[in-house]
Amino acid sequence: MRKIARFKRIIFHMAKTSWIERNNRKAATVKKFAALRAELKAKRDYAGLAQLPRNASPTRVVNRCSMSGRRHGYLRKFACSRLTFREAALNGLIPGVTKASW
């Protein structure tokens, strides 16, 4: 993700849409198999769990920034990356967040 500064405006390039869509498909698969996974785990049927698709596991889903799609430097509280958080906070787009000074 590159930053391009143009006349006091910073434009963030999005992550590849294929990465974002792949993550959305993983989330849908997790949701689809959630009840079955819980049932198999309660029975301690690990052979049955092994037969499920790999993407049925919730650990396969990656947290991504809602604005840029970046996965590293993700802040859970704000659902965005550190870079987009900083820009949004400095522009006053996040209520209650101010720049620290002491």
Side-chain angles (χ1 to χ4, degrees):
M1 182 166 72
R2 295 180 316 181
K3 261 192 321 191
I4 301 172
R6 291 186 184 154
F7 306 108
K8 294 185 179 179
R9 191 177 78 179
I10 296 180
I11 301 168
F12 286 101
H13 290 286
M14 293 286 292
K16 287 177 66 172
T17 53
S18 59
W19 293 342
I20 296 170
E21 288 303 315
R22 183 185 310 153
N23 200 44
N24 291 341
R25 283 195 306 270
K26 287 178 185 179
T29 307
V30 167
K31 188 174 181 182
K32 179 179 175 183
F33 287 99
L36 181 57
R37 276 183 62 83
E39 180 183 328
L40 291 172
K41 285 182 102 172
K43 291 181 184 176
R44 296 180 183 223
D45 182 11
Y46 300 113
L49 276 172
Q51 297 300 315
L52 294 178
R54 283 188 181 190
N55 289 337
S57 174
T59 58
R60 306 267 299 185
V61 179
V62 177
N63 288 329
R64 287 192 172 270
C65 176
S66 57
M67 294 176 242
S68 65
R70 181 182 167 90
R71 58 186 264 173
H72 294 293
Y74 179 81
L75 304 174
R76 289 183 183 196
K77 184 174 181 179
F78 301 100
C80 65
S81 70
R82 61 184 176 82
L83 302 172
T84 54
F85 170 78
R86 184 171 188 265
E87 287 300 318
L90 290 176
N91 291 331
L93 300 176
I94 303 174
V97 176
T98 56
K99 186 175 177 184
S101 61
W102 60 87

